[in-house]
Amino acid sequence: MLNPSKDLRTYFLVAPQTLVFLFGLVLPIAVILVVSFWEFNGIASIPAFTLKNYIGIFTSPVYLKTYANTIRFAAIVWFVCVLISYPVAYYLAFHIKSAKWQTILFLVCTVPFLTSNIIRLISWVPFLGREGLINQALMALHLTNKPIEIFLFSDFAVVLAMVHLYCLFMVAPIFNSMMKIDRALVSAAEDLGASAFEIQKRIILPLSAPGIAIGSIFVVTLVMGEFATMRLMSGGKSSSVGYLIKNQIDSLQYPAAAANAVVLLILTLLIVFAMLRVVDIRKQI
């Protein structure tokens, strides 16, 4: 027989999370969706129902190029983060035997995150600028006779800054996955004569896949919504959907900004769902 008081307590327990979910996520997205169908007369937003904002996104070469550019940056940053994070996580998990030193070295990786993103972005300017340390070193070594322009206010600077900002979001889940791998599997493979490459290919990489997928979701979703890094590190030469939305909000074009936000959200969710179809991350949750 059901106990009404017990059922009531269950509802009270889930009520706080439900309210936070509704008012912190569902309601704001619903408001953005409604505003995306409004009209903008050049001065103010007018409540209405029009598909003009969405039609403009899918028919404008500028918008389509901006979305393609955003996806390109997300793919490049994701790829570089995987290349850097996998060896770091592998070294921490398999070559550092002491749990104490694993913790210490992992905390060292988090030190840059003790400062704000803006400070970390600005800190690259003295290194990448025309008179920065990199150009001065190259000129001192006579590798070039003039400053190289691509280091700052370029796509290279944007990718470098984003990798710096988000690489830890890839290292942490991969490291967590590798720590859960049974070391007896690796020992058995070594006893059977498997090479280091075969162990990586058949044991460590497949069992680390859920961590890579989780890190990929973090990195891709963060890069897809970036605007500050794009503005500061590209010098206005490159654009992203996040930067586009920010400019539309600054110019009070709320319906167009809301429509772009909805399309960006759907696009990001499609990418995440595609990752989830490839790798099952439930083992890591």
Side-chain angles (χ1 to χ4, degrees):
M1 184 174 180
L2 296 177
N3 188 343
S5 61
K6 185 176 180 180
D7 292 341
L8 189 60
R9 287 197 300 270
T10 302
Y11 284 114
F12 277 122
L13 286 174
V14 300
Q17 299 93 321
T18 304
L19 292 175
V20 170
F21 178 75
L22 289 176
F23 290 98
L25 181 65
V26 176
L27 183 60
I29 291 177
V31 171
I32 292 173
L33 181 63
V34 170
V35 174
S36 69
F37 293 103
W38 289 8
E39 293 182 351
F40 181 71
N41 61 7
I43 301 175
S45 300
I46 302 173
F49 183 84
T50 177
L51 296 175
K52 183 169 61 176
N53 298 315
Y54 289 99
I55 294 174
I57 292 174
F58 293 105
T59 58
S60 171
V62 175
Y63 281 148
L64 295 178
K65 184 178 179 180
T66 302
Y67 276 90
N69 197 48
T70 302
I71 296 173
R72 179 173 65 90
F73 274 114
I76 294 173
V77 172
W78 168 81
F79 181 71
V80 176
C81 283
V82 171
L83 288 182
I84 295 174
S85 302
Y86 189 88
V88 171
Y90 176 76
Y91 179 79
L92 289 175
F94 286 92
H95 288 274
I96 305 298
K97 304 302 182 182
S98 170
K100 174 183 175 181
W101 279 104
Q102 283 179 339
T103 304
I104 291 174
L105 292 176
F106 184 79
L107 290 176
V108 169
C109 295
T110 67
V111 168
F113 289 79
L114 300 178
T115 59
S116 70
N117 286 4
I118 300 300
I119 292 176
R120 280 183 283 158
L121 292 177
I122 295 174
S123 67
W124 280 108
V125 176
F127 288 92
L128 303 177
R130 285 179 55 86
E131 304 298 328
L133 295 179
I134 295 179
N135 271 315
Q136 289 182 6
L138 292 175
M139 294 175 67
L141 295 172
H142 302 290
L143 297 177
T144 180
N145 56 5
K146 62 179 181 179
I148 299 177
E149 302 288 343
I150 66 167
F151 290 138
L152 188 61
F153 302 141
S154 63
D155 289 352
F156 169 81
V158 173
V159 172
L160 178 64
M162 287 185 180
V163 169
H164 178 211
L165 291 178
Y166 303 130
C167 199
L168 184 66
F169 291 94
M170 185 73 76
V171 172
I174 297 177
F175 173 71
N176 183 54
S177 290
M178 289 183 175
M179 290 300 296
K180 294 180 179 180
I181 297 175
D182 188 352
R183 298 310 191 261
L185 294 174
V186 178
S187 299
E190 291 174 344
D191 293 339
L192 292 173
S195 65
F197 176 77
E198 290 175 329
I199 292 174
Q200 285 287 339
K201 179 182 177 182
R202 298 179 181 276
I203 299 176
I204 298 177
L205 183 59
L207 295 178
S208 302
I212 296 174
I214 294 174
S216 299
I217 291 172
F218 285 149
V219 171
V220 169
T221 53
L222 289 169
V223 174
M224 291 289 284
E226 260 287 359
F227 67 91
T229 304
M230 192 67 62
R231 173 65 184 89
L232 291 174
M233 303 306 292
S234 74
K237 296 180 181 178
S238 297
S239 184
S240 66
V241 180
Y243 189 35
L244 172 66
I245 293 172
K246 187 258 184 190
N247 289 336
Q248 289 175 331
I249 292 175
D250 289 344
S251 59
L252 304 182
Q253 300 180 46
Y254 298 123
N260 276 294
V262 171
V263 173
L264 179 62
L265 175 62
I266 294 174
L267 179 61
T268 304
L269 289 176
L270 289 175
I271 295 174
V272 171
F273 288 148
M275 293 179 184
L276 296 178
R277 291 296 298 270
V278 175
V279 180
D280 184 4
I281 66 171
R282 287 175 295 180
K283 298 177 181 178
Q284 297 296 117
I285 299 176

